[in-house]
Amino acid sequence: MSNANYLAANREIIEAFPAERIVVIRVPVMYAVQEAENLYHWAKVDLPQLESVNITADSLAELNVRSGACREAQSLWITNQKLGTEAQNMWNEASPAAYNLRDELIHTFRYAFRANEKLLAHVNLIAEGNGHADMIQDLNDLAVLGKNNEDLLTAIHFDLAKLDLAAALSSDMADYLAIANGSKQTGDESKLLRDKAYSYLKEQLDEIRAAGKFLFWKNPERLSGYSSDYWRKKNASKKQEDAAEVNA
C-alpha cells in the first residue's frame, strides 16, 4: 500500500487519537518515520525472540502502517504550508497594485460620470467600505460599470484595457486571499492530524523498542537497533562540544 492509502485506512483512528496522548515532537518527523521503517526491518530478524514478549508479526506490520500514515500526514501539512505561503507572497506582491487600480478607477469614474447623478451615485456606493474583500469586489464592480459606459470613459481618453486588468486582478486576488486564509484554517487541522499521526506512531515504536531493549540487554549487536540513531548522534555531538569547551 502507498503512504496515502495507509493514512486513508487509519484516518478515523488517528483523528480520534486522544488529545491528552499527543506528545511533543522532539525528533524531527522525517527522522522518526525513517527510524520506524528501519526498526521494522531490524525487528523482523528478531521476531522469534520478540514473540516471547507479545511483539508479533502483526505488531511489526502495524508499525509499518503507522509510519506510512505519519509520513503522508507530514507531507500534507508541508504542502498546505507551502501553498499558503506562496499565496500569501503573491497577495503581498500584487495587493498594492490592486488597491492603487481600485483607487484610480474610482477617481477616474467620478470625473467621467460627473454629469450623470445615477452613475456617480453608483461609483460612490462602490467606494464605500474597506478591507481586502471589499477591494476585490470593488475591482469587479468597477470593471462591469466601466464596460457598460465605455463611451464616457473614451471621451476622457481613458485606457479601457484597465477594465480588463481590474476584472483579472479581482479574480486573482480572490484566489490568493482564499488560499492564504484557507491554509491558516486547514493548516491547523493538518498540523493536528500530523501531530496525532506522529504520536500514534511513537506509541508503537516505543513499545517495540522497549521489548527489544528488554530482550537484548546483553547483546550489544542486536540492542543497537532498538535505540534512536538521531538521539545517539545528537548526544555524541553534544559530548564533543562539551569536551571542546573544556579543552579550549
Side-chain angles (χ1 to χ4, degrees), residues 48-84:
Q49 295 96 315
L50 289 168
E51 286 178 334
S52 69
V53 289
N54 298 319
I55 300 297
T56 65
D58 287 343
S59 302
L60 299 185
E62 179 66 17
L63 177 67
N64 204 37
V65 169
R66 294 188 189 192
S67 65
C70 185
R71 188 184 291 278
E72 182 67 13
Q74 171 75 354
S75 295
L76 291 176
W77 179 59
I78 290 174
T79 297
N80 184 77
Q81 277 194 312
K82 183 176 180 181
L83 288 175

Side-chain angles (χ1 to χ4, degrees), residues 1 13 23 39 52 61 79 96 100 103 117 121 123 128-129 134 162 168 174 186 188 190 201 244:
M1 291 177 70
I13 296 173
V23 299
L39 179 61
S52 69
T79 297
N100 286 339
D103 293 345
E117 291 185 4
V123 175
E128 292 179 358
D134 186 71
K162 290 184 178 181
T186 58
D188 291 340
S190 62
L201 166 63

